[in-house]
Amino acid sequence: MTEAGDPDGPVLLLAHGFGAGQSAWQRLLPHFADHRVVLFDYAGSGSTRMADFDPVRHGTLTGYAQDLLEVCAALDLQDVNVVAHSVSGVVSLLAAAAQPDRFASLSLVAPSPRYVDEPETGWTGGFSLEDIHELLESLDSNYYAWSAAMAPVVMGNPQDPDLGAELTESFLGTHPDAAAAFARAIFLSDARDVLPRVQLPTLVLQTRHDALAPEAVGAAVAAALPHGHLVALDATGHCPHISAPLQTATAVRAHLAGHLARP
């Protein structure tokens, strides 16, 4: 865990997505110098040791929610405002449902509670179940080749290949065993049932041409949250905190300002 910004400011906890670490937030930090910003790495990601990774605990998203809650407990954080990317959006929802009094607000960047399409219910997750199994088999076969191929697709923004290269390097820094377990927890999960249980003011940030979270997903997530608010960013790809940090920070700050202004 590391901290940045104003130690006396409102608490802002940044939770990274798959194949990333706390360094993914570097472009966002200058926009929150007036907050107490807390950053951490999930077990098996970033600078953590593989010894910290538990294949049973980290085989479900609930295990990652426990990680997030343990960070809050270790630092005795209260009134926590979470900014969570991708899978951490669901992780933070699970954490908030478990300990609602710990949190003040959530900002979810490109979240998805269910990646598999369900034609029978009209749910558009973006992938068939066969697509997911092929993706996971490819990851298992050669994580390094999979990362080199997948990371630029996840990043999007082909006009700026350096961004895709940056995400590829981040993916390659994740231990393959941890990545495989995390990917299964992500792509085979269905966390839609937790959405109606979270009563916090929650911002949902959606981009265009997101390879992992179609626009219909962002709208559905915001609609299912009791206090959800959808903002469509003027950005593309799955990682706007990296590719469009100003737009992302502006939307988050507006959400925080609105939350703090409420009685």
Side-chain angles (χ1 to χ4, degrees):
M1 292 177 285
T2 59
E3 296 193 33
D6 182 355
D8 296 320
V11 176
L12 193 69
L13 178 67
L14 304 183
H16 67 79
F18 172 86
Q22 56 184 277
S23 62
W25 299 105
Q26 292 306 307
R27 292 177 176 84
L28 216 62
L29 289 181
H31 300 283
F32 294 96
D34 55 341
H35 286 67
R36 179 187 177 188
V37 182
V38 177
L39 306 100
F40 71 101
D41 297 321
Y42 291 116
S45 301
S47 60
T48 62
R49 304 170 303 158
M50 193 57 189
D52 298 323
F53 177 80
D54 182 335
V56 175
R57 171 173 173 157
H58 296 108
T60 69
L61 296 185
T62 301
Y64 294 94
Q66 291 172 348
D67 286 356
L68 190 153
L69 290 171
E70 286 182 3
V71 169
C72 293
L75 297 176
D76 193 25
L77 302 179
Q78 300 294 333
D79 296 324
V80 181
N81 299 285
V82 180
V83 179
H85 176 233
S86 192
V87 61
S88 277
V90 172
V91 169
S92 65
L93 288 167
L94 292 169
Q99 295 185 17
D101 293 340
R102 174 81 69 177
F103 301 94
S105 75
L106 305 177
S107 296
L108 314 182
V109 183
S112 178
R114 178 64 166 164
Y115 287 89
V116 179
D117 294 331
E118 290 184 359
E120 67 277 13
T121 65
W123 176 263
T124 301
F127 300 86
S128 68
L129 188 57
E130 292 75 16
D131 291 335
I132 295 298
H133 286 308
E134 288 178 5
L135 182 152
L136 295 174
E137 288 172 6
S138 177
L139 186 156
D140 288 339
S141 175
N142 189 328
Y143 176 66
Y144 299 103
W146 180 88
S147 296
M150 191 69 178
V153 175
V154 172
M155 176 60 68
N157 295 276
Q159 76 283 359
D160 192 347
D162 287 346
L163 293 177
E166 179 179 328
L167 190 59
T168 299
E169 183 177 355
S170 177
F171 273 32
L172 294 175
T174 302
H175 193 285
D177 291 344
F182 204 1
R184 277 175 169 73
I186 294 167
F187 289 110
L188 296 176
S189 66
D190 185 353
R192 289 173 292 178
D193 63 335
V194 77
L195 301 176
R197 298 175 10 223
V198 177
Q199 296 292 328
L200 298 171
T202 304
L203 171 67
V204 179
L205 294 181
Q206 182 70 45
T207 67
R208 304 184 306 276
H209 309 302
D210 185 334
L212 295 184
E215 293 181 37
V217 171
V221 169
L225 290 162
H227 302 288
H229 175 56
L230 178 67
V231 170
L233 293 176
D234 183 18
T236 60
H238 190 61
C239 305
H241 57 302
I242 297 174
S243 62
L246 176 58
Q247 293 91 321
T248 302
T250 299
V252 171
R253 288 195 70 95
H255 175 60
L256 296 177
H259 160 61
L260 293 173
R262 297 185 188 100

